[in-house]
Amino acid sequence: MITVLIADDSPVMRIGLKLLLDSQPDLEVSACVADGEEAVAMCRSTSPRVVVMDLAMPRLDGLAATRALATHGQPPWVVVVTGTADQTKCRDAAEAGAAGFVLKSEPPEVLLEAIRAVTRGERRLGPVCG
């Protein structure tokens, strides 16, 4: 079972992602949080294998949270999910430690495959990253 923490400031996105991920037999959502600070704190207490991380969040944005998680003893794999198709943000996310980058406009299967791929040690940065 792949445990996943969802970090997104939009309640609609958190609920939708949770429903999508929980519908998969090999995925289980361990927690949903609304900002990067909560993501880092919750990862320390629940140790998910994957974090689905939005970039634009209050208090601590997704890039800063990803950097903080990279220093964690056994860091989770981070898959960034964002609405912005920006090559610079993708590179910044990869440099911060993200293993995946998925646009919110992509089909759900792209996110599901990215989550599974990063747990196999593969990077899924997508065409935005160039």
Side-chain angles (χ1 to χ4, degrees), residues 4-78:
V4 182
L5 181 137
I6 298 167
D8 197 302
D9 61 325
S10 165
V12 170
M13 283 300 299
R14 286 194 308 272
I15 292 167
L17 288 170
K18 181 171 177 24
L19 289 170
L20 172 67
L21 301 182
D22 280 345
S23 74
Q24 302 298 302
D26 60 332
L27 304 177
E28 178 182 39
V29 175
S30 61
C32 293
V33 299
D35 64 56
E37 268 185 32
E38 289 180 299
V40 173
M42 191 61 72
C43 281
R44 290 194 175 115
S45 64
T46 64
S47 301
R49 287 186 62 200
V50 177
V51 176
V52 173
M53 181 85 71
D54 186 21
L55 290 181
M57 293 186 291
R59 296 198 317 165
L60 188 65
D61 69 23
L63 286 177
T66 299
R67 282 188 203 97
L69 290 173
T71 66
H72 192 44
Q74 187 169 10
W77 298 102
V78 174

Side-chain angles (χ1 to χ4, degrees), residues 114-130:
I115 291 169
R116 292 176 179 118
V118 300
T119 64
R120 296 189 302 262
E122 301 169 21
R123 293 174 64 91
R124 284 288 196 269
L125 298 175
V128 173
C129 293

